[in-house]
Amino acid sequence: MKRETLTALNAARSQGRAVVRAVDLATGDEKLIDPYADTSKLGIAAAQAARADQSANVEVDGRSWFLEVYNPPLDLVIIGAVHIAQPLSQMAALTGYGVRIIDPRTAFATPERFPGIALSHDWADEALAKAPLGPRSAIVLLTHDPKLDDPALIAALRSTCFYIGALGSKKTQAARQARMRAEGFGDNELARIRGPVGLDIGARSPAEIAVSILAEMTQILRGPKQ
Amino acid sequence: MTAIEQDVLTTAANWLGAGRKVALGTVVETWGSSPRPAGSQIAIRDDGAFVGSVSGGCVEGAVIEDALNAMKDGKIRKLEFGVSDEQAWSVGLACGGRIEVFVEPLV
């Protein structure tokens, strides 16, 4: 790899742009590709690899290339700067997520409680309008408070995010589903809400609950092993 | 973002910036059960320090050795690792998979 390539690659990654490096493994020749702008055959193959989030070998016009995919980090939005959010934000950052916490209660969402994590004091619908959820986004609702959770849930159900988790007992979930039905959402949409949140591993402490949530997010993202 | 998980390419750039030589190893093909998918990377510094991984720790030693050679001669290499052979001193993967690692100096 050339130094210039490494510099350009790191610049794209720090700006949150997807980038693919095509390498000819026989010669070491390389090309940096913007997968969603390059309309050449190699560019189209790069876009496929980026969408699948999988580096792969391809042959284009009789030449073999290894396509190295550098996607931006996964996105985790946590609604509610509560106790569970503290270990969940740290564990998710370790797992490769860019984490943002949304909570208009300024006493909860403080840098002291969440060192190094992006905090927003906007209401969830405003925050999610500014930085929308995409196919690489997960959202976890932790406040128990419909006033705070519901606007985020509505935005999540209208988005293509891959995971929606909502804290609360079965009774809380039923009430939540009824409110979303009143908003006009149907069975298929409501089935996207994971609640009670997380895999059932008997988690008790906030950190254990964070493990169960992160495990469920991973399972939905990658799918269980065949 | 966290500073706990060291980013391979950022670390490689920092090493280069400090005037060190650096090589990269990238998993470019996997067969069967293998610990890290294609695209997994390791960056190696000229004193043998490294960040990242291409396996569960089974073949990193051999990749580092080849990376040090790549820094010296400036040439790329392709290394293939298969099931470990307990009879010989060869490195291999205990998991039973096979991987191919592309080693390239940063030039």
Side-chain angles (χ1 to χ4, degrees), chain B residues 91-104:
Chain B
V91 283
L93 298 165
C95 52
R98 273 200 300 145
I99 60 170
E100 192 169 65
V101 179
F102 180 66
V103 175
E104 57 188 325

Side-chain angles (χ1 to χ4, degrees), chain A residues 114-215:
Chain A
F114 297 95
I117 302 291
L119 303 173
S120 165
H121 294 138
D122 288 340
W123 289 87
D125 45 353
E126 291 164 20
L128 293 176
K130 276 186 214 161
L133 300 165
R136 291 173 62 76
S137 300
I139 184 166
V140 179
L141 315 168
L142 295 178
T143 72
H144 283 117
D145 181 346
K147 189 163 81 269
L148 295 170
D149 276 355
D150 284 8
L153 186 53
I154 290 166
L157 287 171
R158 287 182 183 147
S159 80
T160 54
C161 69
F162 72 87
Y163 179 85
I164 304 172
L167 192 71
S169 64
K170 286 190 177 130
K171 200 173 144 198
T172 309
Q173 300 300 335
R176 181 179 279 133
Q177 291 203 346
R179 292 197 306 276
M180 288 303 117
R181 247 180 239 290
E183 291 285 337
F185 294 106
D187 287 344
N188 287 346
E189 289 155 317
L190 297 181
R192 292 176 65 196
I193 307 170
R194 299 275 156 166
V197 71
L199 296 186
D200 184 4
I201 54 171
R204 273 193 205 163
S205 69
E208 288 173 357
I209 294 166
V211 168
S212 80
I213 294 172
L214 202 48

Side-chain angles (χ1 to χ4, degrees), chain A residues 18-41:
Chain A
V19 59
V20 174
R21 183 176 75 126
V23 198
D24 181 331
L25 299 181
T27 62
D29 289 352
E30 62 187 356
K31 287 184 192 181
L32 267 198
I33 298 171
D34 176 347
Y36 303 120
D38 190 330
T39 53
S40 69
K41 277 188 198 168

